[in-house]
C-alpha cells in the first residue's frame, strides 16, 4: 500500500492589483479562491492521506477577513474527511520582522484552531510523525526566512534533521532553488547539495510560480508545484496547478495536475509604423485596428506602446480614451507608454503634456521636475521643497489605501 498526498503552494489569496477596477479586483480574488478550492476538491475526490502546503497561502501576512474565512472553511472540509494538513509560511504570508503585527504569521490562527499543523520555525526543524497504511511517515518543515543575506542557503547553519529512523520522510520548504531561481532574484537560495544531504524521500518547495521537478543525488524527489493561478504579467505562458504525490516501497513519484488559469497577454505596438494619417484617419483608429484582434472578454491585456512620433501626431494620442476603449473589450486593459518618444528631441517639452504613463506618482514627479526647472534662485528651492513634500504626502496616502 502506498501513501498519497497533494502538494500545493503559492495560492496568494487576496492578492491586490492596483490597476484593477473594484469589480475586476473582486473577481480576480474570487478566482484565486476557486483555484485553491479546486485543489481541496481533488484531495477529497482522491481520498489522499496528506495535504501538503509549501507556503504563500495568502498574499499578505495580514489577509482579508473574507480570505481567512474562506480558508477556514476549506480546511474544515479536509478535517472532516480525516485528511491532515501540514504547511509552512512563505515570504508573503510571514512577517519580515517580529515588530510587524507582533511577528505572527497569517496561518497562526488556523494552526491554533487545529486547521493545520504549521511548522513556524525558520532556524530549527520541526516535525510530526504518523502511521499511514502501515508506513511510518514523518513530515518536516522550515518556514521562510527572507531576512537572510542574498545567496545564503536557509539550510546552512541549521542542525540537520534526524532522518535515519525507518519510514518515509517528507520535507516542506519555501525558497528559491539553485538552478530554478529567477536570474535577477536577490534573495536566499536553497543549495542542491544541502537539499540532497537531508536524506529525505521527497523535498517539497514553494516560492517559484512555475512547476519544477527533478531527482537529487541519492534519489530524493524535489518538487515545486508552482502557483495555482497566474499572478502577474510575465507569467502569461505559465502552467498552473498542483502535484499528486505517491510514496511507497518503489520510491516516490509525482504527477502535475494542471488548473485552468485566466488568460494574460502582453502586446507591443510600435506606433511609428501605424501608417499614413490619410489611410488611418487618427492615431487612435490605428491603435484600435492593431489591438482589436487581441481583445477578449476574459483576457488581461497589457499594451506597451513603443516607437517615435512627430509632435503633431502625438497630440492625437489620448491614453485615457485608449484605456476606456480597451476596458470595454477586455477583463483588464493596461497601457504602458514609458518607451514612447517624440521624433524631434526639440519637441519633447510639448509632448510632455500628452501624458505618457498611467503611473500617477511618476506623472506627479514629472510635473514637479518641470515646475522646478522653470524657476530660478530662491523660488526654485521653494518649488523643490514643496514638490518633495507633495510626493511624501502622496506616498503616505497611497500606502494608507493599499
Amino acid at each position: 500500500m502506498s501513501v498519497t498526498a497533494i502538494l500545493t503552494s503559492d495560492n496568494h489569496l487576496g492578492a491586490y492589483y492596483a490597476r484593477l477596477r473594484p469589480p475586476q479586483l473582486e473577481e480576480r480574488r474570487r478566482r484565486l479562491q476557486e483555484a485553491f478550492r479546486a485543489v481541496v476538491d481533488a484531495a477529497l475526490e482522491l481520498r489522499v492521506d496528506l495535504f501538503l502546503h509549501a507556503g504563500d497561502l495568502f498574499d499578505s501576512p495580514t489577509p482579508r477577513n473574507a480570505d481567512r474565512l474562506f480558508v477556514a472553511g476549506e480546511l474544515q472540509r479536509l478535517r472532516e474527511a480525516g485528511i491532515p494538513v501540514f504547511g509552512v509560511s512563505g515570504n508573503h504570508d510571514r512577517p519580515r520582522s517580529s515588530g510587524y503585527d507582533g511577528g505572527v504569521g497569517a496561518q497562526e490562527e488556523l494552526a491554533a484552531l487545529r486547521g493545520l499543523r504549521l511548522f513556524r520555525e525558520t532556524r530549527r526543524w520541526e516535525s510530526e510523525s504518523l502511521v499511514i497504511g502501515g508506513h511510518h511517515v514523518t513530515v518536516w518543515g522550515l518556514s521562510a526566512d527572507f531576512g537572510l543575506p542574498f545567496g545564503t542557503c536557509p539550510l546552512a547553519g541549521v542542525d540537520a534533521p534526524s532522518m535515519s529512523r525507518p519510514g518515509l520522510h517528507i520535507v516542506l520548504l519555501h525558497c528559491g532553488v539553485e538552478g530554478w531561481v529567477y536570474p535577477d532574484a536577490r534573495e536566499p537560495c536553497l543549495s542542491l547539495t544541502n537539499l540532497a544531504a537531508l536524506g529525505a524521500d521527497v523535498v517539497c518547495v514553494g516560492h517559484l510560480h512555475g512547476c519544477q521537478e527533478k531527482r537529487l543525488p541519492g534519489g530524493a524527489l524535489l518538487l515545486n508545484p508552482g502557483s495555482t493561478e497566474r499572478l502577474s504579467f510575465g507569467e502569461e505562458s505559465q502552467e498552473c496547478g498542483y502535484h499528486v504525490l505517491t510514496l511507497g516501497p518503489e520510491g516516490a513519484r509525482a504527477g502535475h495536475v494542471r488548473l485552468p488559469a485566466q488568460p494574460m497577454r502582453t502586446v507591443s505596438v510600435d506606433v511609428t509604423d501605424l501608417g499614413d494619417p490619410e489611410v488611418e484617419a487618427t492615431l487612435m483608429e490605428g491603435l484600435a485596428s492593431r489591438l482589436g484582434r487581441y481583445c477578449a472578454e476574459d483576457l488581461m491585456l497589457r499594451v506597451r506602446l513603443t516607437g517615435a512620433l512627430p509632435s503633431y501626431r502625438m497630440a492625437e494620442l489620448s491614453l485615457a480614451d485608449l484605456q476606456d476603449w480597451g476596458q470595454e473589450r477586455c477583463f483588464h486593459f493596461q497601457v504602458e507608454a514609458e518607451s514612447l518618444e517624440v521624433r524631434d528631441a526639440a519637441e519633447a517639452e510639448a509632448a510632455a503634456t500628452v501624458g505618457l504613463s498611467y503611473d500617477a506618482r511618476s506623472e506627479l514627479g514629472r510635473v514637479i521636475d518641470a515646475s522646478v526647472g522653470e524657476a530660478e534662485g530662491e523660488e526654485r528651492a521653494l518649488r523643490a521643497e514643496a514638490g518633495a513634500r507633495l510626493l511624501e504626502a502622496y506616498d503616505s496616502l497611497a500606502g494608507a489605501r493599499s
Side-chain angles (χ1 to χ4, degrees):
M1 182 176 178
S2 299
V3 175
T4 58
I6 272 187
L7 168 64
T8 184
S9 71
D10 297 279
N11 318 104
H12 289 273
L13 300 177
Y16 176 73
Y17 297 83
R19 296 189 179 190
L20 285 185
R21 296 175 299 172
Q24 279 68 35
L25 176 59
E26 286 307 306
E27 174 62 16
R28 277 293 290 167
R29 286 171 162 170
R30 186 193 66 78
R31 291 181 187 226
L32 293 172
Q33 291 182 349
E34 288 302 317
F36 182 73
R37 177 177 284 131
V39 182
V40 174
D41 287 343
L44 297 174
E45 181 179 348
L46 295 173
R47 297 179 177 272
V48 296
D49 299 305
L50 301 169
F51 190 93
L52 307 172
H53 199 283
D56 281 354
L57 171 61
F58 299 104
D59 192 62
S60 163
T62 54
R64 303 182 312 151
N65 287 340
D67 291 305
R68 293 161 60 194
L69 177 62
F70 165 76
V71 171
E74 294 305 301
L75 295 186
Q76 179 64 19
R77 294 171 65 204
L78 292 169
R79 183 175 180 177
E80 290 175 352
I83 302 175
V85 181
F86 298 88
V88 295
S89 294
N91 58 306
H92 274 259
D93 49 19
R94 178 183 178 84
R96 292 293 181 102
S97 69
S98 59
Y100 185 88
D101 199 31
V104 177
Q107 297 99 320
E108 293 283 355
E109 67 177 348
L110 298 171
L113 294 171
R114 301 183 183 276
L116 80 160
R117 171 64 164 96
L118 177 67
F119 302 117
R120 58 178 57 84
E121 297 294 331
T122 63
R123 305 300 295 164
R124 178 177 63 85
W125 287 101
E126 295 179 278
S127 67
E128 185 163 320
S129 297
L130 58 165
V131 177
I132 301 172
H135 296 282
H136 189 280
V137 180
T138 303
V139 184
W140 304 79
L142 276 181
S143 280
D145 183 1
F146 276 62
L148 295 172
F150 162 58
T152 300
C153 176
L155 302 183
V158 178
D159 291 340
S162 176
M163 296 189 185
S164 58
R165 62 183 127 170
L168 301 171
H169 295 270
I170 302 170
V171 168
L172 293 177
L173 296 163
H174 186 94
C175 191
V177 176
E178 178 186 351
W180 292 349
V181 72
Y182 305 117
D184 58 348
R186 300 190 63 80
E187 58 190 27
C189 180
L190 289 162
S191 157
L192 292 178
T193 299
N194 288 342
L195 289 174
L198 293 174
D201 295 279
V202 184
V203 178
C204 307
V205 182
H207 183 52
L208 304 175
H209 291 178
C211 168
Q212 301 280 2
E213 178 180 340
K214 73 178 302 177
R215 288 283 176 181
L216 294 169
L221 182 60
L222 176 61
L223 299 174
N224 184 103
S227 60
T228 48
E229 172 61 84
R230 295 181 185 125
L231 295 163
S232 62
F233 289 108
E235 299 181 359
E236 291 95 329
S237 61
Q238 186 169 282
E239 291 189 4
C240 300
Y242 57 92
H243 273 116
V244 177
L245 178 63
T246 303
L247 301 97
E250 68 282 1
R253 63 184 187 277
H256 190 259
V257 179
R258 186 174 180 178
L259 289 172
Q262 185 164 19
M264 293 182 173
R265 185 163 189 168
T266 297
V267 176
S268 293
V269 178
D270 188 341
V271 299
T272 308
D273 63 355
L274 279 182
D276 192 317
E278 295 182 2
V279 178
E280 293 170 330
T282 67
L283 180 61
M284 295 296 291
E285 288 181 3
L287 285 169
S289 175
R290 188 70 62 88
L291 295 172
R293 73 190 74 168
Y294 301 110
C295 293
E297 182 179 1
D298 199 40
L299 177 66
M300 298 184 73
L301 180 62
R302 176 172 63 173
V303 176
R304 288 175 168 165
L305 301 181
T306 63
L309 286 173
S311 60
Y312 77 90
R313 292 214 73 195
M314 190 73 78
E316 301 174 6
L317 178 61
S318 169
L319 295 186
D321 288 347
L322 180 61
Q323 181 76 32
D324 290 343
W325 176 91
Q327 201 63 64
E328 291 177 357
R329 293 161 173 79
C330 298
F331 178 87
H332 172 64
F333 188 86
Q334 180 173 317
V335 181
E336 297 178 1
E338 289 80 3
S339 299
L340 202 56
E341 299 177 359
V342 178
R343 185 172 298 157
D344 185 349
E347 298 173 325
E349 184 176 351
T353 61
V354 178
L356 300 181
S357 172
Y358 264 112
D359 185 327
R361 193 186 191 285
S362 296
E363 290 300 290
L364 182 60
R366 182 173 59 77
V367 172
I368 291 171
D369 290 343
S371 176
V372 172
E374 293 172 355
E376 296 181 356
E378 185 176 350
E379 183 179 353
R380 183 186 182 97
L382 288 173
R383 290 191 183 189
E385 182 179 357
R389 291 185 178 183
L390 183 58
L391 287 174
E392 183 179 345
Y394 176 88
D395 290 340
S396 177
L397 289 171
R401 285 196 300 271
S402 63

